[in-house]
């Protein structure tokens, strides 16, 4: 599995770095990862991607690992935010884009012409603190198909994130869901 990763290691102190990508096309597939995470005493870094076309698709055939763009924290440190800007953004075939934390989570900000989820997931999960907001904007349309999911989840005493959708057309079919749970 290949990836672009910034990580604060266990028992380490200090914040993670930023991942900034500008491209015409960005394709992440077969379990590929772009990840900013922390397992230590510092906040996770951020992910900022600008591309005409962003495709996150499938999962690894070797291990059970979806293709993903993710900012996460498995400690009380804060997870970073993920910002995607593209003309076309496709999240498909089990792939996911997420922010999650056992402390406070960052936000998932996505701005596109078309946003297409086909068995794909956009999520914000927080186990303590606040965060995990999803700010999604599509100037043409937002289409969810084949069990796609847009969700925020909060557990224990956490304050869950909000979902803000902005698009002239939003369509969810074939058992696709938009949920905010606490």
């Amino acid at each position: 599995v290949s990836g672009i990763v910034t990580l604060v290691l266990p028992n380490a102190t200090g914040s993670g770095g930023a991942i900034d990508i500008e491209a015409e096309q960005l394709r992440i597939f077969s379990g590929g990862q772009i990840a900013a995470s922390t397992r230590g005493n510092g906040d996770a870094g951020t992910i900022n991607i600008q591309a005409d076309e962003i495709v996150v698709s499938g999962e690894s055939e070797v291990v059970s690992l979806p293709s993903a763009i993710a900012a996460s924290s498995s400690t009380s440190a804060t997870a970073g935010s993920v910002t995607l800007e593209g003309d076309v953004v496709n999240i498909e075939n089990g792939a996911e884009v997420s922010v999650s934390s056992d402390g406070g989570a960052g936000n998932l900000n996505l701005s596109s012409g078309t946003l297409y989820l086909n068995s794909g997931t956009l999520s914000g999960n927080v186990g303590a603190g606040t965060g995990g907001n999803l700010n999604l904007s599509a100037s043409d349309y937002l289409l969810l198909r084949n069990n796609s999911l847009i969700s925020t989840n909060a557990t224990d005493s956490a304050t869950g994130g909000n979902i803000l959708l902005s698009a002239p057309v939003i369509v969810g079919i074939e058992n696709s869901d938009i949920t905010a749970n606490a």
Side-chain angles (χ1 to χ4, degrees), residues 70-87:
S72 64
S73 172
S74 60
T75 68
S76 61
T78 302
S81 291
V82 172
T83 301
L84 305 178
E85 294 180 26
D87 294 333

Side-chain angles (χ1 to χ4, degrees), residues 79-144:
S81 291
V82 172
T83 301
L84 305 178
E85 294 180 26
D87 294 333
V88 176
V89 177
N90 291 338
I91 314 299
E92 57 191 20
N93 302 321
E96 61 186 43
V97 178
S98 65
V99 291
S100 63
S101 179
D102 290 337
N107 296 321
L108 171 54
N109 305 302
L110 194 153
S111 176
S112 68
T114 60
L115 174 55
Y116 179 60
L117 279 73
N118 185 2
S119 297
T121 300
L122 299 174
S123 67
N125 302 297
V126 63
T130 61
N133 294 313
L134 305 183
N135 302 305
L136 311 175
S137 173
S139 60
D140 295 328
Y141 65 86
L142 165 60
L143 174 60
L144 292 84

